[in-house]
């Protein structure tokens, strides 16, 4: 895969993410749900999610699940699995 193709894929994923976030915000606002949307880059996403939830005194953590294969989860681990097992507050996993 060339650099141009990789850039196109990256841009497409960015647009998909932005659309998903806009849809989520619209839904939350329409239901008068108090929320704080955080988007960022951390070295270790699993720990970063838990630390941020603690620092915000969050009531719940909502994470997505990609549905990776058992082998992938075994080798790389699953962010949602880790958060469910290690969070001290409720976790909602969204497919």
């Amino acid at each position: 895969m060339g650099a141009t193709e990789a850039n196109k894929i990256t841009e497409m994923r960015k647009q998909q993410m932005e659309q998903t976030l806009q849809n989520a915000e619209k839904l939350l606002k329409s239901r008068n749900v108090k929320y704080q949307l955080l988007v960022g880059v951390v070295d270790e996403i699993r720990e970063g999610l838990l630390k941020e939830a603690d620092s915000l005194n969050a009531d719940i953590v909502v994470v997505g699940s990609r549905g990776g294969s058992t082998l992938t989860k075994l080798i790389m681990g699953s962010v949602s699995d880790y958060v469910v097992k290690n969070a001290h507050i409720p976790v909602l996993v969204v497919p």
Side-chain angles (χ1 to χ4, degrees):
M1 176 183 326
T4 303
E5 280 184 59
N7 289 340
K8 286 180 184 178
I9 291 170
T10 299
E11 185 59 31
M12 184 176 67
R13 287 185 176 172
K14 180 180 175 189
Q15 290 173 356
Q16 289 172 337
M17 179 193 71
E18 288 171 355
Q19 184 62 50
T20 299
L21 293 176
Q22 288 173 3
N23 292 342
E25 283 190 294
K26 183 186 284 186
L27 178 63
L28 292 168
K29 285 179 181 177
S30 74
R31 305 245 169 111
N32 294 318
V33 174
K34 183 180 174 186
Y35 69 95
Q36 185 167 5
L37 180 64
L38 302 170
V39 178
V41 177
V42 295
D43 292 334
E44 171 52 55
I45 187 66
R46 300 177 303 180
E47 285 296 323
L49 279 171
L50 295 179
K51 286 179 183 177
E52 195 64 32
D54 284 343
S55 73
L56 293 169
N57 293 319
D59 296 319
I60 188 170
V61 174
V62 180
V63 293
S65 175
R66 293 183 304 137
S69 70
T70 304
L71 181 59
T72 301
K73 288 180 183 177
L74 180 64
I75 294 170
M76 296 174 49
S78 163
V79 172
S80 55
D81 288 343
Y82 181 88
V83 172
V84 166
K85 291 175 183 171
N86 293 281
H88 301 291
I89 59 174
V91 177
L92 173 62
V93 180
V94 181

